[in-house]
Amino acid sequence: MDKDISFLNEEQKQFLNNYVKTKKLEAFNKIQTEASTGYAGFEHASSEDLQLMIDEWVLIDYIDNGFVDKNTPCECGRPLRYQYIVRNNKSGEVKRLGINHFEEHISLKNHVVKQIKKEFDLIEKEITEILERTSMNWVIENEIAYIPDDYKFNSTVNIKKQLDIGLALSARQVNHLRKEVNQKIFSKNKTIKTSTTEVSNIVLFNDEVSEMNFSVSSLTEIQKEKIMDLYNRGVKSPMVICELLIENKIAPSHRYATGKPRIFPHVCIFLENINGS
């Protein structure tokens, strides 16, 4: 982060450093997954989940020294401030690169590199926004008037810790939180037992919901076993699980007009049953 962070305490600095690292890993691997599968629908997948579907190079680590350091060079020998560590999923080879040498050293296509750089720029802009808001003593109450006492923050997003240590949220994070809080209130008022982590996926089906009778019984025993195996290995994203089932010929590749696999709702319900057991 090439920004003024002198007003932050050490915990806040470390949090933002980890945030940037996590977001860059997710962005790189999401774009690589989309390039590998030809499908853009992995917004809620973790970097670890995405790595399972990438045929070649995945981003496994990211270092920001704060200055150009000869101890963190690119493969070509050029000293770097920002070093990106990638691994080839087929050969296991590891390379350490500067962002401008993705094409030269690992043969990423030009349009893929451009998209990666674009996503990285958006991450840096979000950090700038968080810093500016924090310096102006931003408070969540000015953005979201009411958060239920029993609201459970999504632990994977880590917004609660960000607020607890005194860091502001970006506009993107506020919108994400507002959507989840509103859904919690709506669900409570309507006494609908719906998982807030899956509701954004479910509403995308629109009239497609009426086509199918969503139930666990719609899955074969082989599909259930594979889902359980992936779940126990730490793969929690239903979209990633669906794509892995399709890739391994365990599920048909039929999709809705939205691009979502038709097996997706069945996988969601199966995962809900696992989580609720």
Side-chain angles (χ1 to χ4, degrees):
M1 293 184 297
D2 197 13
K3 305 171 179 68
D4 178 22
I5 58 173
S6 59
F7 61 92
L8 300 180
N9 61 42
E10 289 305 314
E11 184 178 20
Q12 291 170 329
K13 291 176 184 177
Q14 187 60 50
F15 181 92
L16 288 182
N17 284 332
N18 290 339
Y19 184 84
V20 171
K21 177 178 176 178
T22 299
K23 287 299 177 182
K24 286 193 173 184
L25 262 63
E26 288 175 352
F28 182 100
N29 293 329
K30 173 177 174 290
I31 292 166
Q32 277 285 76
T33 304
E34 291 172 353
S36 297
T37 64
Y39 174 64
F42 301 98
E43 292 80 4
H44 304 289
S46 69
S47 176
E48 291 77 11
D49 286 351
L50 294 171
Q51 288 181 27
L52 296 172
M53 293 192 293
I54 300 174
D55 290 334
E56 296 186 354
W57 296 99
V58 298
L59 183 61
I60 60 173
D61 205 354
Y62 158 75
I63 296 172
D64 176 2
N65 294 302
F67 57 92
V68 175
D69 190 342
K70 65 179 181 180
N71 293 316
T72 53
C74 181
E75 289 294 314
C76 61
R78 179 184 177 184
L80 301 169
R81 169 178 173 173
Y82 305 103
Q83 187 187 66
Y84 298 88
I85 303 171
V86 296
R87 182 188 68 231
N88 189 294
N89 263 351
K90 292 180 179 178
S91 67
E93 181 183 9
V94 174
K95 291 189 176 185
R96 298 169 182 269
L97 310 171
I99 191 170
N100 293 320
H101 287 183
F102 286 164
E103 289 180 74
E104 179 181 344
H105 294 303
I106 57 177
S107 301
L108 292 191
K109 294 181 179 179
N110 181 259
H111 75 276
V112 173
V113 175
K114 285 183 177 179
Q115 184 62 30
I116 289 171
K117 289 182 177 179
K118 180 181 177 181
E119 290 297 320
F120 283 6
D121 285 343
L122 290 175
I123 292 167
E124 293 296 337
K125 287 178 181 178
E126 182 178 19
I127 294 299
T128 297
E129 184 181 14
I130 291 172
L131 289 171
E132 289 176 348
R133 289 181 168 205
T134 301
S135 68
M136 294 186 292
N137 299 317
W138 176 95
V139 290
I140 186 64
E141 289 77 13
N142 292 339
E143 300 272 1
I144 303 176
Y146 173 68
I147 299 179
D149 292 336
D150 61 345
Y151 176 74
K152 293 183 179 179
F153 286 83
N154 186 335
S155 60
T156 59
V157 179
N158 227 5
I159 283 179
K160 186 176 188 302
K161 181 176 180 181
Q162 187 170 332
L163 291 171
D164 287 345
I165 65 175
L167 286 172
L169 302 183
S170 66
R172 184 194 64 80
Q173 290 176 308
V174 169
N175 289 335
H176 173 86
L177 180 59
R178 182 183 292 113
K179 183 177 180 180
E180 287 203 341
V181 168
N182 287 344
Q183 180 58 40
K184 173 75 174 181
I185 295 171
F186 173 81
S187 299
K188 188 174 183 180
N189 290 343
K190 297 292 184 179
T191 63
I192 298 175
K193 188 178 180 181
T194 305
S195 171
T196 58
T197 56
E198 294 296 344
V199 69
S200 58
N201 291 322
I202 294 172
V203 297
L204 290 177
F205 295 138
N206 297 324
D207 57 334
E208 294 164 353
V209 176
S210 60
E211 293 183 11
M212 303 180 67
N213 178 23
F214 300 150
S215 67
V216 174
S217 61
S218 299
L219 298 172
T220 67
E221 290 304 314
I222 293 177
Q223 289 168 343
K224 292 177 186 177
E225 289 177 9
K226 184 61 177 178
I227 294 170
M228 281 297 301
D229 176 58
L230 290 169
Y231 182 88
N232 290 333
R233 286 163 51 194
V235 183
K236 301 298 192 295
S237 166
M239 180 58 72
V240 171
I241 289 174
C242 288
E243 295 296 338
L244 289 171
L245 291 177
I246 293 171
E247 181 181 328
N248 289 286
K249 313 296 184 186
I250 298 174
S253 59
H254 307 310
R255 297 179 185 271
Y256 292 114
T258 58
K260 272 194 176 356
R262 287 183 175 266
I263 197 173
F264 180 80
H266 306 296
V267 172
C268 286
I269 289 179
F270 187 69
L271 291 176
E272 282 296 313
N273 287 348
I274 295 175
N275 291 328
S277 61

